[in-house]
Every structure is written in C-alpha cells, then in structure tokens.
Amino acid sequence: MTENRKHILDRFQEHLNLSYGTYCERHGIPESLPGLITFLIDQGLIPPVAVKRYAVLKEFEELYPAQGNHKTRTVNTLADKFNIPERTIWGILKYREQKGKGKAGK
C-alpha cells in the first residue's frame, strides 16, 4: 500500500515538474519558489480559500502580541489590512480552533 502512495507521489512530482517547466518557458519567467507557488495556485492545486486562511492566520500570529493580545483589535486590524469582513476573520480563527480540536482528539 505504501509503495502505491510513493509511486503516486513520484509521478505527481514528475508531472508537476514538467508542467511547471513548460509554464515558466511559456511565460518567460525563471523557475523560483514564488513562481512555483503561483503555478500551484493557478493550477488549482492550492485552493484560494487555503491561501486566504494561511495568510490571515500567519498575520494574526504576528499581530496578536503587538495588539496587546487583544483578539478583537487584531481581527479589526486584519479586516482593514486585507479588506475583508471581520466576520470572515473570525470564521478563519474558528476554523483553526475546530481543526486543532479535531487533531487533539485523534
């Protein structure tokens, strides 16, 4: 079973590498980590909601201590910074907490 997963991972990496190389050639850009991330998002391998969640959570981790560990103030700051509703920020934080509780229970 593990061999099948390894084979799938190997083939995924090969296809991704070839496709990314073609993408870079077509767009006249050098292969780089930022370029690879953009490629993965463009190909739908990293959904936009995952990008938003990741960015918001990382920014929250940085801002929260600077805001005196005041959650509401941090959420308001992020909402202004990203121009998204405060409710969306709260939802992302709630998602993280629920996901964390699910991991602890396993």
Side-chain angles (χ1 to χ4, degrees):
M1 186 76 161
T2 303
E3 289 177 17
N4 288 340
R5 281 189 250 168
K6 172 74 170 112
H7 182 68
I8 289 172
L9 178 60
D10 289 345
R11 296 301 295 159
F12 172 79
Q13 289 175 336
E14 288 174 28
H15 289 298
L16 187 63
N17 191 35
L18 287 171
S19 296
Y20 178 56
T22 302
Y23 174 87
C24 289
E25 284 178 29
R26 187 178 322 126
H27 292 91
I29 58 173
E31 293 186 26
S32 65
L33 181 58
L36 177 60
I37 294 168
T38 299
F39 173 75
L40 293 172
I41 293 167
D42 286 350
Q43 296 299 305
L45 295 171
I46 300 176
V49 68
V51 173
K52 184 187 288 185
R53 280 186 193 137
Y54 186 81
V56 167
L57 290 172
K58 289 299 181 182
E59 290 290 318
F60 183 87
E61 289 172 9
E62 287 181 11
L63 285 173
Y64 186 61
Q67 296 285 338
N69 295 331
H70 194 273
K71 216 174 197 181
T72 300
R73 189 178 308 142
T74 306
V75 167
N76 292 341
T77 301
L78 288 174
D80 288 340
K81 183 175 187 172
F82 290 121
N83 195 28
I84 56 177
E86 293 169 15
R87 186 176 180 155
T88 300
I89 306 288
W90 285 114
I92 290 169
L93 295 174
K94 184 177 179 182
Y95 173 83
R96 178 193 62 183
E97 290 171 7
Q98 288 175 344
K99 191 174 177 185
K101 288 178 184 176
K103 285 183 180 178
K106 288 184 180 180

PDB file of all heavy atoms in Angstrom, residues 87-100:
ATOM      1  N   ARG A  87     -16.134  39.340  10.084  1.00  0.00           N
ATOM      2  CA  ARG A  87     -16.782  38.033  10.249  1.00  0.00           C
ATOM      3  C   ARG A  87     -15.978  36.924   9.565  1.00  0.00           C
ATOM      4  O   ARG A  87     -15.899  35.800  10.067  1.00  0.00           O
ATOM      5  CB  ARG A  87     -18.192  38.108   9.670  1.00  0.00           C
ATOM      6  CG  ARG A  87     -19.015  36.894   9.894  1.00  0.00           C
ATOM      7  CD  ARG A  87     -20.414  37.112   9.378  1.00  0.00           C
ATOM      8  NE  ARG A  87     -21.200  35.924   9.598  1.00  0.00           N
ATOM      9  CZ  ARG A  87     -22.494  35.901   9.715  1.00  0.00           C
ATOM     10  NH1 ARG A  87     -23.170  37.027   9.618  1.00  0.00           N
ATOM     11  NH2 ARG A  87     -23.127  34.776   9.901  1.00  0.00           N
ATOM     12  N   THR A  88     -15.366  37.239   8.415  1.00  0.00           N
ATOM     13  CA  THR A  88     -14.538  36.266   7.709  1.00  0.00           C
ATOM     14  C   THR A  88     -13.309  35.914   8.546  1.00  0.00           C
ATOM     15  O   THR A  88     -12.933  34.733   8.646  1.00  0.00           O
ATOM     16  CB  THR A  88     -14.109  36.820   6.330  1.00  0.00           C
ATOM     17  OG1 THR A  88     -15.289  37.090   5.560  1.00  0.00           O
ATOM     18  CG2 THR A  88     -13.220  35.853   5.584  1.00  0.00           C
ATOM     19  N   ILE A  89     -12.695  36.927   9.151  1.00  0.00           N
ATOM     20  CA  ILE A  89     -11.518  36.687  10.008  1.00  0.00           C
ATOM     21  C   ILE A  89     -11.904  35.797  11.181  1.00  0.00           C
ATOM     22  O   ILE A  89     -11.219  34.818  11.492  1.00  0.00           O
ATOM     23  CB  ILE A  89     -10.922  38.018  10.528  1.00  0.00           C
ATOM     24  CG1 ILE A  89     -10.619  38.983   9.402  1.00  0.00           C
ATOM     25  CG2 ILE A  89      -9.698  37.743  11.403  1.00  0.00           C
ATOM     26  CD1 ILE A  89      -9.463  38.656   8.526  1.00  0.00           C
ATOM     27  N   TRP A  90     -13.024  36.128  11.825  1.00  0.00           N
ATOM     28  CA  TRP A  90     -13.483  35.314  12.959  1.00  0.00           C
ATOM     29  C   TRP A  90     -13.736  33.874  12.499  1.00  0.00           C
ATOM     30  O   TRP A  90     -13.409  32.926  13.217  1.00  0.00           O
ATOM     31  CB  TRP A  90     -14.750  35.909  13.582  1.00  0.00           C
ATOM     32  CG  TRP A  90     -14.510  37.118  14.418  1.00  0.00           C
ATOM     33  CD1 TRP A  90     -14.935  38.384  14.160  1.00  0.00           C
ATOM     34  CD2 TRP A  90     -13.794  37.191  15.657  1.00  0.00           C
ATOM     35  NE1 TRP A  90     -14.518  39.233  15.156  1.00  0.00           N
ATOM     36  CE2 TRP A  90     -13.817  38.537  16.089  1.00  0.00           C
ATOM     37  CE3 TRP A  90     -13.122  36.252  16.435  1.00  0.00           C
ATOM     38  CZ2 TRP A  90     -13.206  38.960  17.272  1.00  0.00           C
ATOM     39  CZ3 TRP A  90     -12.511  36.682  17.615  1.00  0.00           C
ATOM     40  CH2 TRP A  90     -12.555  38.011  18.022  1.00  0.00           C
ATOM     41  N   GLY A  91     -14.324  33.714  11.324  1.00  0.00           N
ATOM     42  CA  GLY A  91     -14.576  32.376  10.795  1.00  0.00           C
ATOM     43  C   GLY A  91     -13.292  31.593  10.575  1.00  0.00           C
ATOM     44  O   GLY A  91     -13.225  30.385  10.853  1.00  0.00           O
ATOM     45  N   ILE A  92     -12.265  32.246  10.091  1.00  0.00           N
ATOM     46  CA  ILE A  92     -10.969  31.588   9.878  1.00  0.00           C
ATOM     47  C   ILE A  92     -10.365  31.170  11.216  1.00  0.00           C
ATOM     48  O   ILE A  92      -9.838  30.063  11.351  1.00  0.00           O
ATOM     49  CB  ILE A  92     -10.021  32.516   9.089  1.00  0.00           C
ATOM     50  CG1 ILE A  92     -10.525  32.649   7.650  1.00  0.00           C
ATOM     51  CG2 ILE A  92      -8.592  31.994   9.129  1.00  0.00           C
ATOM     52  CD1 ILE A  92      -9.834  33.727   6.837  1.00  0.00           C
ATOM     53  N   LEU A  93     -10.465  32.041  12.209  1.00  0.00           N
ATOM     54  CA  LEU A  93      -9.945  31.701  13.539  1.00  0.00           C
ATOM     55  C   LEU A  93     -10.723  30.537  14.147  1.00  0.00           C
ATOM     56  O   LEU A  93     -10.133  29.632  14.758  1.00  0.00           O
ATOM     57  CB  LEU A  93      -9.992  32.920  14.463  1.00  0.00           C
ATOM     58  CG  LEU A  93      -9.096  34.086  14.062  1.00  0.00           C
ATOM     59  CD1 LEU A  93      -9.352  35.286  14.972  1.00  0.00           C
ATOM     60  CD2 LEU A  93      -7.634  33.688  14.065  1.00  0.00           C
ATOM     61  N   LYS A  94     -12.034  30.539  13.950  1.00  0.00           N
ATOM     62  CA  LYS A  94     -12.862  29.453  14.463  1.00  0.00           C
ATOM     63  C   LYS A  94     -12.511  28.142  13.756  1.00  0.00           C
ATOM     64  O   LYS A  94     -12.414  27.090  14.393  1.00  0.00           O
ATOM     65  CB  LYS A  94     -14.344  29.772  14.263  1.00  0.00           C
ATOM     66  CG  LYS A  94     -15.269  28.743  14.846  1.00  0.00           C
ATOM     67  CD  LYS A  94     -16.728  29.161  14.678  1.00  0.00           C
ATOM     68  CE  LYS A  94     -17.642  28.100  15.255  1.00  0.00           C
ATOM     69  NZ  LYS A  94     -19.050  28.451  15.076  1.00  0.00           N
ATOM     70  N   TYR A  95     -12.292  28.213  12.444  1.00  0.00           N
ATOM     71  CA  TYR A  95     -11.905  27.036  11.661  1.00  0.00           C
ATOM     72  C   TYR A  95     -10.607  26.439  12.221  1.00  0.00           C
ATOM     73  O   TYR A  95     -10.487  25.241  12.399  1.00  0.00           O
ATOM     74  CB  TYR A  95     -11.736  27.420  10.192  1.00  0.00           C
ATOM     75  CG  TYR A  95     -11.186  26.325   9.328  1.00  0.00           C
ATOM     76  CD1 TYR A  95     -12.027  25.343   8.806  1.00  0.00           C
ATOM     77  CD2 TYR A  95      -9.831  26.260   9.018  1.00  0.00           C
ATOM     78  CE1 TYR A  95     -11.522  24.328   8.015  1.00  0.00           C
ATOM     79  CE2 TYR A  95      -9.320  25.251   8.227  1.00  0.00           C
ATOM     80  CZ  TYR A  95     -10.171  24.289   7.727  1.00  0.00           C
ATOM     81  OH  TYR A  95      -9.668  23.277   6.939  1.00  0.00           O
ATOM     82  N   ARG A  96      -9.638  27.315  12.503  1.00  0.00           N
ATOM     83  CA  ARG A  96      -8.356  26.842  13.054  1.00  0.00           C
ATOM     84  C   ARG A  96      -8.569  26.155  14.396  1.00  0.00           C
ATOM     85  O   ARG A  96      -8.000  25.098  14.656  1.00  0.00           O
ATOM     86  CB  ARG A  96      -7.394  28.015  13.229  1.00  0.00           C
ATOM     87  CG  ARG A  96      -6.057  27.570  13.849  1.00  0.00           C
ATOM     88  CD  ARG A  96      -5.218  28.713  14.323  1.00  0.00           C
ATOM     89  NE  ARG A  96      -5.918  29.447  15.366  1.00  0.00           N
ATOM     90  CZ  ARG A  96      -5.465  30.538  15.935  1.00  0.00           C
ATOM     91  NH1 ARG A  96      -4.334  31.049  15.542  1.00  0.00           N
ATOM     92  NH2 ARG A  96      -6.136  31.153  16.871  1.00  0.00           N
ATOM     93  N   GLU A  97      -9.393  26.742  15.252  1.00  0.00           N
ATOM     94  CA  GLU A  97      -9.644  26.159  16.569  1.00  0.00           C
ATOM     95  C   GLU A  97     -10.336  24.811  16.450  1.00  0.00           C
ATOM     96  O   GLU A  97      -9.976  23.854  17.134  1.00  0.00           O
ATOM     97  CB  GLU A  97     -10.482  27.109  17.421  1.00  0.00           C
ATOM     98  CG  GLU A  97      -9.721  28.345  17.846  1.00  0.00           C
ATOM     99  CD  GLU A  97     -10.600  29.390  18.513  1.00  0.00           C
ATOM    100  OE1 GLU A  97     -11.796  29.105  18.774  1.00  0.00           O
ATOM    101  OE2 GLU A  97     -10.098  30.497  18.751  1.00  0.00           O
ATOM    102  N   GLN A  98     -11.320  24.698  15.556  1.00  0.00           N
ATOM    103  CA  GLN A  98     -12.021  23.426  15.364  1.00  0.00           C
ATOM    104  C   GLN A  98     -11.091  22.373  14.783  1.00  0.00           C
ATOM    105  O   GLN A  98     -11.140  21.232  15.183  1.00  0.00           O
ATOM    106  CB  GLN A  98     -13.226  23.623  14.447  1.00  0.00           C
ATOM    107  CG  GLN A  98     -14.349  24.383  15.100  1.00  0.00           C
ATOM    108  CD  GLN A  98     -15.495  24.675  14.137  1.00  0.00           C
ATOM    109  OE1 GLN A  98     -15.355  24.582  12.930  1.00  0.00           O
ATOM    110  NE2 GLN A  98     -16.635  25.045  14.697  1.00  0.00           N
ATOM    111  N   LYS A  99     -10.267  22.778  13.852  1.00  0.00           N
ATOM    112  CA  LYS A  99      -9.324  21.848  13.241  1.00  0.00           C
ATOM    113  C   LYS A  99      -8.324  21.364  14.294  1.00  0.00           C
ATOM    114  O   LYS A  99      -7.984  20.190  14.333  1.00  0.00           O
ATOM    115  CB  LYS A  99      -8.591  22.540  12.093  1.00  0.00           C
ATOM    116  CG  LYS A  99      -7.795  21.601  11.235  1.00  0.00           C
ATOM    117  CD  LYS A  99      -7.227  22.332  10.036  1.00  0.00           C
ATOM    118  CE  LYS A  99      -6.385  21.400   9.224  1.00  0.00           C
ATOM    119  NZ  LYS A  99      -5.713  22.057   8.127  1.00  0.00           N
ATOM    120  N   GLY A 100      -7.876  22.256  15.155  1.00  0.00           N
ATOM    121  CA  GLY A 100      -6.938  21.896  16.224  1.00  0.00           C
ATOM    122  C   GLY A 100      -7.557  20.932  17.211  1.00  0.00           C
ATOM    123  O   GLY A 100      -6.908  19.987  17.666  1.00  0.00           O
TER     124      GLY A 100
END
